[in-house]
Amino acid sequence: MKPFTYERATTPAEAAAAVVRQPGSRFIAGGTNLLDLMKLEIETPAHLIDVNGLKLDTIEPTPDGGLRIGALVSNTNLAADQGVRRDYGVLSRAIVAGASGQLRNKATTAGNLLQRTRCPYFYDTNQACNKRRPGSGCAAIGGYSRQLAIIGTSDACIATYPGDMAVAMRLLDATVETVQPNGAARTIPIADFHKLWGKTPHIETALTNGELITAVTLPRPLGGTHVYHKVRDRASYAYALVSVAAVIQRDGTGRVAIGGIAPKPWRVEAADHAMPQGAKAVASRLLAGAKPTHDNAFKVPLVERTLAAVLAETRAA
C-alpha cells in the first residue's frame, strides 16, 4: 500500500471541497472495497477524506410518502429497518443477499452504490484493463469471461457491476442526492447514475470530481409482492451470476430489474409491460441486443429461468 495523508471532514460541503483542493483524494467511510483496492495498488489515493462524522446515517420519511436514506446508513441497519422491511421488502432482501454480516455492518449506502467491478482482470495488475489504465486494452475480451457481462458491453470492457442493493434501488426508481464542491446540491435518477462502459469504462458513475453522495431517496412504496432471487456459485458470500429484483401485483403486472449481467443494474421498462405474458416474453425484451461470450452464454437462458422461478414464487404467495 502506498503512503497517503488523511483528514476528517465535518460537513458534506467541506468534504466535497477538500477533494478538489487536494488532487488525488478519495472519500472513505466503511472502506470495504476501497481498502482492498489500495492494498493491491489498484487504487492509489494520495489523500483520504473520512466522511464518517457527517451525520448522514438516518432513515427518514419524505413528505410525499417515500423514504430518505442517509449516505452513511450501514447495510445492516438499512436491511433491518422496520419501514424498509414493510414497504420496500425487495431492498431488504437484496442487501441481505450480498457480502457477509461483518461486511454489511461496515458497508454504507453510498459506498455500496460506488463499489467497483470484481472482474478478475481488473484485480490482476499484470493484465490489460481499460478500467485501471485507459487505453491499455481489455484482457477479459477473449479471456475467461464466465462471470462477466452479456449486455451493455463495449469493445473496451465487458465487466459487470457487482452489487445487489443497487439492483433493488433501480427497480424502485430511487434518486441519488449529492453535494458538489461549490456547495450546490444535485439529484441523479438511479437509472442515470451508473454508466455503460462505451469507450470510457474508467468512468463508472455520473458523479463529477469531488461530488459527494449525501442520501438516496425512494419514492412511495409500490405494494405487491417483493422478490429478490440471486443465482450464484455458492450459497453465500458470492456475487451474482444472475439476480432478479421484482415487484409483482395481484393482476400479474409489475416491474423487474436484473443484476450480474451488465455494467449497471439492468432494467428495460418495455419488459415490464410483458410481465403478464410470462418469463420468456420478459427475458426477450430485457436481453434484446445481448452479446454473450462462449463462457457466459448460459446467462441468457438463466435469466429466463430465474424470472420463471420469481413469477412462480409470486403466484404462490
Side-chain angles (χ1 to χ4, degrees), residues 19-107:
V19 170
V20 176
R21 185 175 65 248
Q22 188 150 342
S25 296
R26 290 291 306 271
F27 301 122
I28 187 167
T32 56
N33 189 203
L34 178 60
L35 290 177
D36 285 342
L37 295 173
M38 288 173 65
K39 292 173 186 176
L40 295 170
E41 295 190 7
I42 294 170
E43 293 270 11
T44 56
H47 186 65
L48 292 182
I49 301 163
D50 189 335
V51 297
N52 282 296
L54 301 188
K55 299 179 180 179
L56 301 175
D57 58 352
T58 58
I59 303 172
E60 303 170 324
T62 62
D64 61 355
L67 207 62
R68 187 174 187 271
I69 304 160
L72 297 175
V73 173
S74 73
N75 285 181
T76 294
N77 288 343
L78 181 56
D81 181 81
Q82 184 176 359
V84 173
R85 294 178 65 187
R86 180 187 64 240
D87 298 328
Y88 304 96
V90 65
L91 177 58
S92 182
R93 292 178 173 88
I95 292 170
V96 172
S100 65
Q102 295 93 329
L103 285 171
R104 292 193 295 269
N105 288 341
K106 291 293 293 181

Side-chain angles (χ1 to χ4, degrees), residues 3-282:
F4 58 88
T5 53
Y6 170 89
E7 71 174 287
R8 290 189 178 98
T10 58
T11 68
E14 177 189 298
V19 170
V20 176
R21 185 175 65 248
Q22 188 150 342
S25 296
R26 290 291 306 271
F27 301 122
I28 187 167
T32 56
N33 189 203
L34 178 60
L35 290 177
D36 285 342
L37 295 173
M38 288 173 65
K39 292 173 186 176
L40 295 170
E41 295 190 7
I42 294 170
E43 293 270 11
T44 56
H47 186 65
L48 292 182
I49 301 163
D50 189 335
V51 297
N52 282 296
L54 301 188
K55 299 179 180 179
L56 301 175
D57 58 352
T58 58
I59 303 172
E60 303 170 324
T62 62
D64 61 355
L67 207 62
R68 187 174 187 271
I69 304 160
L72 297 175
V73 173
S74 73
N75 285 181
T76 294
N77 288 343
L78 181 56
D81 181 81
Q82 184 176 359
V84 173
R85 294 178 65 187
R86 180 187 64 240
D87 298 328
Y88 304 96
V90 65
L91 177 58
S92 182
R93 292 178 173 88
I95 292 170
V96 172
S100 65
Q102 295 93 329
L103 285 171
R104 292 193 295 269
N105 288 341
K106 291 293 293 181
T108 63
T109 299
N112 197 306
L113 289 176
L114 294 171
Q115 63 181 301
R116 306 197 69 185
T117 186
R118 268 48 174 205
C119 173
Y121 296 97
F122 172 70
Y123 270 77
D124 185 347
T125 55
N126 293 313
Q127 301 289 338
C129 177
N130 288 318
K131 295 176 73 60
R132 271 190 288 102
R133 186 178 299 171
S136 64
C138 175
I141 297 175
Y144 183 65
S145 53
R146 180 175 181 271
Q147 292 182 309
L148 302 181
I150 61 174
I151 197 164
T153 59
S154 73
D155 292 338
C157 186
I158 60 172
T160 55
Y161 173 77
D164 294 285
M165 183 192 77
V167 181
M169 287 187 169
R170 176 66 182 93
L171 180 81
L172 297 168
D173 285 333
T175 299
V176 180
E177 299 179 13
T178 72
V179 63
Q180 297 173 299
N182 63 3
R186 185 162 77 117
T187 59
I188 307 169
I190 192 73
D192 301 327
F193 184 78
H194 295 101
K195 296 293 187 180
L196 295 180
W197 301 146
K199 295 181 179 180
T200 56
H202 60 290
I203 301 175
E204 299 178 348
T205 72
L207 296 177
T208 58
N209 183 43
E211 194 167 9
L212 174 71
I213 297 173
T214 54
V216 176
T217 301
L218 303 178
R220 293 174 61 89
L222 291 172
T225 301
H226 289 219
V227 178
Y228 189 78
H229 195 125
K230 182 176 181 178
V231 180
R232 46 191 165 179
D233 283 328
R234 55 180 183 264
S236 66
Y237 203 54
Y239 296 97
L241 294 170
V242 167
S243 63
V244 173
V247 174
I248 313 295
Q249 307 300 331
R250 289 183 178 274
D251 61 1
T253 61
R255 58 173 69 176
V256 63
I258 309 294
I261 65 168
K264 60 191 293 184
W266 196 253
R267 182 165 174 230
V268 177
E269 278 77 357
D272 295 343
H273 303 311
M275 294 292 278
Q277 301 171 39
K280 185 173 183 178
V282 176

